[in-house]
Amino acid sequence: EGHLTENNNLTIKGFTGKESNTDYTTYEDQYLPDYSVVTVAITPFKSYVHSTKWTGMSIIDVLNTGNHSFTFGIENQSAVFNSHLFDKSGTEGISYNPDYNQSNTGIFAQGNLMLMDKKLIVSTGVRLDLMNYKILETKFFNNKERMADNQVFSPSIGIKYHLNNYFALRTSVSKGYSP
């Protein structure tokens, strides 16, 4: 993060992460001749392994001019999801979902205008997200690799008017999504 000029601040951030889960089954249901079910403790066994790896970065530039500010940026994140299911003998079986990759790139701009001696604030913005999903060929799923691309355009506008030091009227309209 740093100031390019007195009124221009640039931030570049990167991240990476990994999450791994291993589940162990410690009980099972046994069915009795009278059709009742009894849950009993068993020798624990590894029954499910799931991992997620993700990486990403963002570049955000904020330009201040007088009472106004303008923000421009680009963000990218990618994730890889894998899972495996096992039975008591350690044999791998069909998992809950196929392995897949997901990536998202978002480009955005926002302006905040302070007008009428800072009593009126108008905020406008736009964002374009380009998403890619790739379902990978996964053991036991009998599937072929396939991809899907989506684009989402998200505009917004908000207006806030300060009636006095204690009260303000506010309204906004936007379109968005959650990945």
Side-chain angles (χ1 to χ4, degrees):
E1 185 171 327
H3 292 282
L4 298 178
T5 67
E6 182 181 330
N7 297 326
N8 192 351
N9 189 46
L10 181 68
T11 304
I12 300 174
K13 294 181 181 178
F15 68 88
T16 186
K18 180 179 179 181
E19 177 182 335
S20 297
N21 299 314
T22 301
D23 295 349
Y24 290 86
T25 297
T26 58
Y27 62 89
E28 70 181 7
D29 291 337
Q30 292 184 348
Y31 298 90
L32 302 177
D34 66 356
Y35 302 105
S36 63
V37 179
V38 176
T39 301
V40 296
I42 60 171
T43 302
F45 68 93
K46 179 172 64 174
S47 54
Y48 183 68
V49 176
H50 174 81
S51 68
T52 303
K53 298 174 190 169
W54 61 92
T55 57
M57 79 175 299
S58 66
I59 301 172
I60 300 173
D61 189 23
V62 179
L63 177 63
N64 294 300
T65 62
N67 293 328
H68 314 301
S69 68
F70 301 93
T71 303
F72 306 94
I74 184 167
E75 298 173 325
N76 178 271
Q77 65 178 4
S78 299
V80 178
F81 303 87
N82 301 98
S83 60
H84 304 277
L85 196 64
F86 302 94
D87 66 15
K88 274 196 278 190
S89 70
T91 303
E92 186 176 359
I94 190 167
S95 188
Y96 298 117
N97 51 277
D99 296 340
Y100 65 99
N101 297 348
Q102 174 183 331
S103 65
N104 181 58
T105 300
I107 303 165
F108 58 91
Q110 180 171 330
N112 295 309
L113 308 174
M114 292 192 178
L115 308 167
M116 299 172 56
D117 292 328
K118 299 183 184 179
K119 290 183 102 178
L120 178 66
I121 302 169
V122 178
S123 299
T124 62
V126 294
R127 181 178 174 104
L128 175 64
D129 283 283
L130 308 169
M131 297 164 287
N132 174 269
Y133 303 95
K134 183 190 293 185
I135 297 176
L136 303 173
E137 191 169 329
T138 305
K139 188 176 179 179
F140 304 113
F141 268 84
N142 195 27
N143 69 317
K144 299 291 182 196
E145 185 175 292
R146 64 178 196 252
M147 296 188 336
D149 294 312
N150 294 309
Q151 298 84 35
V152 177
F153 179 71
S154 305
S156 66
I157 186 166
I159 299 171
K160 182 178 179 181
Y161 182 75
H162 292 273
L163 298 171
N164 55 39
N165 289 338
Y166 304 103
F167 296 100
L169 299 174
R170 176 189 314 231
T171 187
S172 64
V173 176
S174 63
K175 177 186 172 196
Y177 90 104
S178 179

